């Protein structure tokens, strides 16, 4: 792609620079509007500066990625209701002897789940729980959040369904699912181990003590009960006030029912209360003078006691009937929950089978989500309210901004200059190609980088041999995926972990750009280099 005019290049770089600054520093003093609004601002500037037309901007939005993210969020919500991820959480927290063991578990479980459910889904599901476990043990959260995000990215490289760029590579390269897995799986496994070792070395002293970050010293410690009762849900939106929300009303109803239930479960208590009331009334002290007024008053009291006794008996009978009806309702609701749980598991397994069979990934996830909504047979708004729509909007703006940056011709110009030296049949050429992919994946996102470089890299390698062509595609998949660990903006998984941790109520944590970069930069270079030696 040829370079655009000088004016268009300058304006495009300005728009992309504004987007990049606001995405990295969402609360800059001169414009504290946040990441989501910053991405929309960058997209708007690309259109206003005429770097791209409005039609091109709309076309730049990748609906398949948005559909996949939305579908997996909805499916994860229903899986949370079916208690599936509670078992995964128990595996993380079960008899953990210390911080180092917990770190290893997070790395391994997030890597495996990302290969099957995509890295975004794993981060959506596990972020808040990992944060709670760290708070529970009075541990600094950021090593565990970094372990979750980085291992999710590494693990997602092993399969074509692990992330969107792998899907694009699998489709364009026509590499079978089995060949893709066998080609990258060794690199993924070794990469996860190397990542664990690097995390241990970097945070050994911090994990060996119980001290918190200085910036996080006042954060409250999470109780064991809060961890065990955690709901694995991607809820990030603010709720309505408690008194007006459905949750508030249901909690009030539950409290009232529980109050009746406690009385019902102890009917003797009711009888004792009635008897004590009668005794108190009948034992009212009388004066020594026998007056007609006192006699009349005692008669009235006796009538009152008799009427109260009868009304108390009627209440016990009414409460008993309520107990029977509530028992029937509880029995029916239990069977309904069990049936819905079974259907949720079956639909999720069907979704995985369809993905493994090569069906469209985004539409498969959306179909599974809608099937679960229908099977629930209730108003879906409470579940859909838990979807992080702000994250979807952020990606819309990012797609437009990145597409405008690509239209300036700067990324293409860089590749044209380096392509003659980036042949995968030489170690120096592979290293140079990896550096280019790392840079472009963090500047222009990994999906556009794959779409931009894929055919060119493959064509250059195909001129050597078919085996080198396959190696070039797998190299592109490995490096573009692991490149997501370099910076906070490198992948969607990093942003999900950052936003979920920041928005967690009462125990939130802000994972800063520089704290991530301090770990991500050396870790990415090390894991990438080790993995490249194992790709065949």
């Amino acid at each position: 792609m040829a370079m655009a005019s000088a004016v268009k290049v300058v304006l495009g770089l300005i728009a992309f620079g504004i987007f990049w600054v606001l995405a990295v520093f969402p609360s800059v003093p001169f414009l504290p509007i946040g990441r989501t609004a910053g991405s929309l601002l960058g997209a708007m500037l690309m259109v206003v500066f005429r770097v791209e037309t409005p039609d091109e901007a709309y076309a730049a939005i990748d609906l398949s990625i948005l559909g996949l993210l939305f579908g997996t969020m909805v499916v994860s919500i229903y899986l949370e209701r079916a208690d599936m991820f509670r078992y995964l959480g128990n595996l993380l927290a079960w008899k953990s002897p210390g911080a180092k063991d917990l770190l290893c578990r997070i790395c391994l479980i997030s890597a495996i789940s990302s290969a099957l459910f995509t890295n975004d889904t794993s981060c959506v599901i596990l972020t808040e729980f990992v944060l709670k476990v760290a708070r529970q043990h009075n541990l600094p959260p950021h090593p565990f959040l970094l372990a979750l995000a980085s291992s999710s990215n590494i693990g997602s490289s092993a399969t074509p369904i692990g992330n969107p760029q792998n899907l694009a590579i699998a489709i364009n390269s026509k590499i079978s699912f089995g060949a893709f897995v066998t080609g990258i799986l060794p690199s993924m496994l070794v990469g996860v181990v190397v990542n664990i070792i690097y995390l241990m070395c970097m945070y050994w002293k911090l994990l060996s003590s119980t001290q918190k970050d200085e910036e996080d010293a006042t954060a409250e410690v999470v109780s064991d009960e809060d961890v065990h009762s955690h709901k694995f849900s991607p809820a990030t939106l603010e709720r309505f006030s408690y008194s007006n929300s459905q949750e508030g009303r249901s909690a009030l109803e539950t409290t009232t029912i529980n109050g009746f239930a406690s009385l019902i479960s102890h009917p003797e208590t009711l009888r004792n209360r009635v008897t004590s009331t009668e005794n108190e009334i009948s034992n009212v002290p009388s004066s020594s003078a026998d007056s007609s007024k006192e006699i009349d008053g005692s008669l009235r009291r006796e009538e009152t006691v008799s009427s109260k006794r009868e009304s108390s008996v009627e209440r016990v009978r009414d409460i008993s009937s309520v107990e029977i009806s509530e028992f029937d309702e509880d029995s029916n609701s239990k069977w309904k929950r069990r049936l819905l749980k079974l259907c949720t598991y079956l639909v999720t397994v069907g979704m995985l089978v369809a993905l493994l069979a090569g069906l469209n990934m985004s539409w498969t996830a959306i179909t599974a989500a809608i099937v679960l909504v229908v099977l629930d047979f209730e108003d879906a708004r409470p579940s859909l309210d838990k979807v992080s729509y702000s994250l979807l909007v952020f990606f819309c703006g990012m797609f437009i901004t990145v597409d405008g940056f690509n239209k300036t011709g700067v990324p293409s110009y860089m590749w044209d200059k380096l392509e003659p030296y980036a042949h995968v049949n030489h170690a120096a050429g592979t290293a140079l190609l990896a550096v280019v992919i790392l840079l472009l994946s963090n500047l222009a996102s990994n999906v556009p980088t794959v779409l931009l470089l894929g055919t060119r890299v493959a064509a250059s390698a195909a001129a050597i041999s078919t085996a080198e062509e396959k190696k070039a595609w797998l190299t592109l998949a490995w490096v573009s995926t692991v490149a997501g660990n370099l910076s906070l903006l490198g992948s969607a998984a990093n942003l999900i972990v950052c936003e979920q941790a920041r928005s967690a109520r009462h125990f939130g944590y802000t994972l800063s750009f520089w704290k991530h970069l301090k770990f991500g930069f050396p870790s990415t270079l090390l894991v990438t280099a080790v993995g490249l030696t194992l790709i065949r």
Side-chain angles (χ1 to χ4, degrees):
M1 180 179 178
M3 287 285 290
S5 63
V7 174
K8 190 174 182 178
V9 170
V10 172
L11 293 177
L13 289 175
I14 291 174
F16 184 80
I18 292 175
F19 157 76
W20 191 85
V21 170
L22 292 177
V24 173
F25 310 103
S27 300
V28 291
F30 62 88
L31 199 61
I33 61 176
R35 290 189 177 93
T36 301
S39 69
L40 293 178
L41 176 61
M44 181 269 293
L45 290 176
M46 287 292 183
V47 176
V48 171
F49 291 161
R50 296 186 179 182
V51 177
E52 57 183 355
T53 65
D55 292 337
E56 290 174 339
Y58 285 124
I61 299 175
D62 195 327
L63 295 179
S64 62
I65 296 177
L66 297 180
L68 171 65
L69 191 57
F70 173 81
T72 52
M73 282 183 179
V74 175
V75 171
S76 69
I77 290 169
Y78 282 93
L79 285 173
E80 170 265 320
R81 291 177 55 182
D83 295 330
M84 178 178 180
F85 300 114
R86 184 180 300 278
Y87 306 136
L88 192 63
N90 291 339
L91 185 61
L92 281 176
W94 181 67
K95 293 184 179 180
S96 178
K100 302 179 185 66
D101 173 76
L102 178 62
L103 188 74
C104 294
R105 293 191 191 192
I106 291 173
C107 290
L108 294 176
I109 292 175
S110 61
I112 295 172
S113 62
S114 295
L116 298 176
F117 291 100
T118 77
N119 52 355
D120 299 342
T121 303
S122 297
C123 292
V124 166
I125 293 168
L126 296 175
T127 296
E128 191 170 340
F129 181 76
V130 168
L131 185 59
K132 278 187 176 181
V133 173
R135 297 291 196 194
Q136 177 194 20
H137 298 286
N138 199 28
L139 295 170
H142 68 272
F144 304 98
L145 296 176
L146 291 173
L148 174 62
S150 59
S151 296
S152 295
N153 286 327
I154 297 172
S156 70
S157 65
T159 64
I161 61 174
N163 53 60
Q165 63 268 21
N166 279 11
L167 175 65
I169 290 173
I171 293 174
N172 292 330
S173 65
K174 295 182 173 56
I175 298 176
S176 66
F177 184 88
F180 193 103
V181 172
T182 56
I184 294 188
L185 185 60
S187 298
M188 185 274 278
L189 296 176
V190 175
V192 171
V193 173
V194 171
N195 192 54
I196 293 174
I197 294 174
Y198 184 79
L199 280 166
M200 290 288 190
C201 294
M202 185 171 183
Y203 296 108
W204 183 268
K205 292 183 179 179
L206 200 59
L207 295 174
S208 300
S209 62
T210 58
Q211 64 179 359
K212 291 185 177 182
D213 297 335
E214 294 180 0
E215 64 192 59
D216 196 42
T218 60
E220 64 179 87
V221 178
V222 177
S223 63
D224 293 344
E225 182 181 355
D226 195 12
V227 172
H228 295 317
S229 62
H230 172 74
K231 292 185 176 181
F232 292 85
S233 166
T236 57
L237 299 180
E238 292 296 329
R239 295 280 185 256
F240 297 106
S241 62
Y242 182 82
S243 59
N244 295 330
S245 64
Q246 291 185 356
E247 294 180 359
R249 289 195 296 272
S250 62
L252 182 60
E253 294 171 359
T254 302
T255 303
T256 306
I257 293 173
N258 289 338
F260 278 116
S262 63
L263 294 176
I264 292 169
S265 60
H266 301 283
E268 295 180 357
T269 304
L270 280 176
R271 298 192 189 97
N272 294 334
R273 289 182 181 179
V274 172
T275 305
S276 62
T277 304
E278 293 174 2
N279 294 333
E280 289 176 1
I281 295 174
S282 61
N283 292 331
V284 174
S286 58
S287 64
S288 60
D290 292 331
S291 63
S292 61
K293 291 183 180 180
E294 291 177 348
I295 294 174
D296 292 339
S298 63
L299 291 175
R300 292 193 197 97
R301 285 194 294 271
E302 289 179 0
E303 293 176 355
T304 302
V305 170
S306 178
S307 62
K308 286 186 176 182
R309 182 184 296 111
E310 293 176 357
S311 62
S312 299
V313 172
E314 291 297 328
R315 287 196 195 99
V316 171
R317 291 175 180 172
D318 293 339
I319 291 174
S320 299
S321 63
V322 171
E323 180 184 16
I324 295 173
S325 62
E326 286 185 353
F327 177 78
D328 293 337
E329 290 178 1
D330 289 341
S331 179
N332 293 333
S333 63
K334 285 181 180 179
W335 279 107
K336 181 182 177 181
R337 286 195 298 269
R338 290 175 182 175
L339 182 60
L340 181 59
K341 182 183 295 187
L342 177 62
C343 293
T344 302
Y345 294 155
L346 292 176
V347 170
T348 304
V349 172
M351 181 187 74
L352 291 176
V353 171
L355 292 174
L356 293 173
L359 298 182
N360 183 279
M361 191 160 69
S362 61
W363 276 108
T364 298
I366 292 173
T367 301
I370 300 303
V371 169
L372 291 176
V373 168
V374 174
L375 291 176
D376 190 27
F377 207 68
E378 292 182 358
D379 185 5
R381 183 175 60 181
S383 296
L384 295 179
D385 281 347
K386 296 182 179 181
V387 174
S388 181
Y389 295 102
S390 61
L391 187 64
L392 298 178
V393 173
F394 172 83
F395 278 111
C396 289
M398 183 182 69
F399 286 139
I400 296 173
T401 306
V402 169
D403 185 65
F405 177 66
N406 288 333
K407 281 184 169 56
T408 62
V410 174
S412 193
Y413 174 80
M414 292 172 57
W415 173 250
D416 288 340
K417 296 296 184 182
L418 296 173
E419 184 178 12
Y421 311 100
H423 295 297
V424 293
N425 59 333
H426 299 294
T430 302
L432 180 60
L433 176 63
V435 171
V436 173
I437 297 172
L438 283 172
L439 292 175
L440 288 182
S441 294
N442 282 273
L443 289 176
S445 180
N446 44 22
V447 177
T449 298
V450 165
L451 297 177
L452 176 66
L453 298 180
T455 54
R456 293 196 174 196
V457 171
S460 177
I464 303 172
S465 68
T466 304
E468 294 297 333
E469 181 183 6
K470 176 187 174 183
K471 181 182 177 181
W473 281 114
L474 295 180
T475 298
L476 182 61
W478 170 252
V479 179
S480 64
T481 300
V482 179
N485 289 336
L486 194 144
S487 71
L488 195 60
L489 283 177
S491 73
N494 298 344
L495 294 171
I496 290 172
V497 169
C498 178
E499 290 301 319
Q500 294 278 75
R502 183 187 60 82
S503 61
R505 293 184 177 182
H506 308 304
F507 53 89
Y509 181 84
T510 300
L511 183 62
S512 66
F513 174 81
W514 296 114
K515 186 165 289 186
H516 186 284
L517 185 65
K518 182 181 178 180
F519 157 78
F521 184 80
S523 172
T524 301
L525 295 181
L526 184 60
V527 173
T528 301
V530 173
L532 284 175
T533 62
L534 301 174
I535 291 179
R536 295 291 183 269

